[in-house]
Amino acid sequence: KVRSADDIGVRTTTAIEDALERYGKRDELGAALGIADISMTPSEFVGAVGLGAIVAGLVGLLVGGPLVGILVTVFVCFAARVYVRRLKGKRQAAFAEQLPDVLQLVTTSLRSGYALTGALESVAEEAEEPARSEFAQVLIQARLGRDLSEAIRELARRMESKDLDWVVSAIEINRDTGGNLSEILNQVGVTIRERAQMARHVQTLTAEGVLSGRVLTV
C-alpha cells in the first residue's frame, strides 16, 4: 500500500510537471517560487495547492452545498496565488531597500584592495537576507564559468530591479573604459538612496492626500 501510494504520488507529480511544461508555466512558476523563497518545485506546489483546494471544497460541500464547495475551492487556489505574489513582492522590496547598503559594502571592499568578486564575497557573507543569498548565487554562477555581469543582470531581472541594472551598466562601462570603480559605485549608491528617499516622501504625501479626500467624501 505504501509503495502504491508512492507510485500514485510520483505519477501525479509527473503529470503536473508535464502539464506545466505543456502550457509554458513551469519556468515562470519556478522563478516565482524561487524569488518568494518557497522551497518547493512547481509540480509539488501545484499538487499541494490542488490537494488543499479539493479538501477545502469537500468540506464546503458538506457544510454549505455545491455552490459553497465550488467557491471555497476557487478561493483556495486564488489565495495560494496571492500568497506567492505577496512573498515575491515582499522579498523584491527588501532587496531593493538593501541595495544601497550592498553598494556601500562593495565600495568599502574595493577601496580596501579587493577585486569585484572579492567584494561580492563580502556581500554574500555579511549582508542581510535576501541580498546575501542572492549574491551568493551570483558568485556560484560566476565560479561555474558564467560572466559576472551576466549573472548580476540575471539577478536584476529576477528581482525586477532597475537600480541593479544601472549598477551592471556602470560595471560594464568601467570594464571597457577604465576608471575608479569604487567611486562610480559609490555615486550610483548615493543616487539610488536619494531616489528611494524621494519616492517614500512622494508616497507619504500621496497617502495624506488620499486620506484627506476620503475624509471629505465621508
Side-chain angles (χ1 to χ4, degrees), residues 160-173:
E160 300 177 8
S161 174
K162 293 292 184 182
D163 292 337
L164 187 56
D165 247 340
W166 292 350
V167 173
V168 179
S169 297
I171 292 172
E172 291 176 343
I173 292 172

Side-chain angles (χ1 to χ4, degrees), residues 53-187:
I54 291 172
V55 172
L58 290 175
V59 173
L61 176 64
L62 294 174
V63 173
L67 180 59
V68 174
I70 293 173
L71 290 176
V72 170
T73 301
V74 173
F75 174 78
V76 170
C77 297
F78 178 77
R81 185 174 183 177
V82 171
Y83 176 72
V84 173
R85 285 187 175 182
R86 184 171 180 273
L87 288 182
K88 176 184 174 183
K90 185 177 180 180
R91 189 173 172 84
Q92 288 174 333
F95 182 87
E97 187 174 347
Q98 291 170 355
L99 188 56
D101 294 331
V102 167
L103 291 178
Q104 182 63 47
L105 180 57
V106 170
T107 300
T108 302
S109 299
L110 290 173
R111 288 172 177 171
S112 300
Y114 286 93
L116 180 58
T117 303
L120 293 180
E121 287 177 353
S122 299
V123 174
E125 293 173 358
E126 301 177 23
E128 299 293 332
E129 290 292 348
R132 178 170 56 190
S133 59
E134 293 296 337
F135 279 100
Q137 288 296 320
V138 167
L139 289 172
I140 291 174
Q141 294 177 32
R143 288 173 185 142
L144 292 175
R146 188 174 189 182
D147 181 73
L148 183 60
S149 295
E150 289 183 6
I152 300 175
R153 198 174 291 281
E154 174 63 26
L155 173 58
R157 283 194 293 269
R158 292 180 66 247
M159 289 295 168
E160 300 177 8
S161 174
K162 293 292 184 182
D163 292 337
L164 187 56
D165 247 340
W166 292 350
V167 173
V168 179
S169 297
I171 292 172
E172 291 176 343
I173 292 172
N174 175 264
R175 184 169 57 188
D176 294 337
T177 63
N180 191 330
L181 182 58
S182 64
E183 290 300 326
I184 294 173
L185 293 183
N186 181 63
Q187 187 58 47

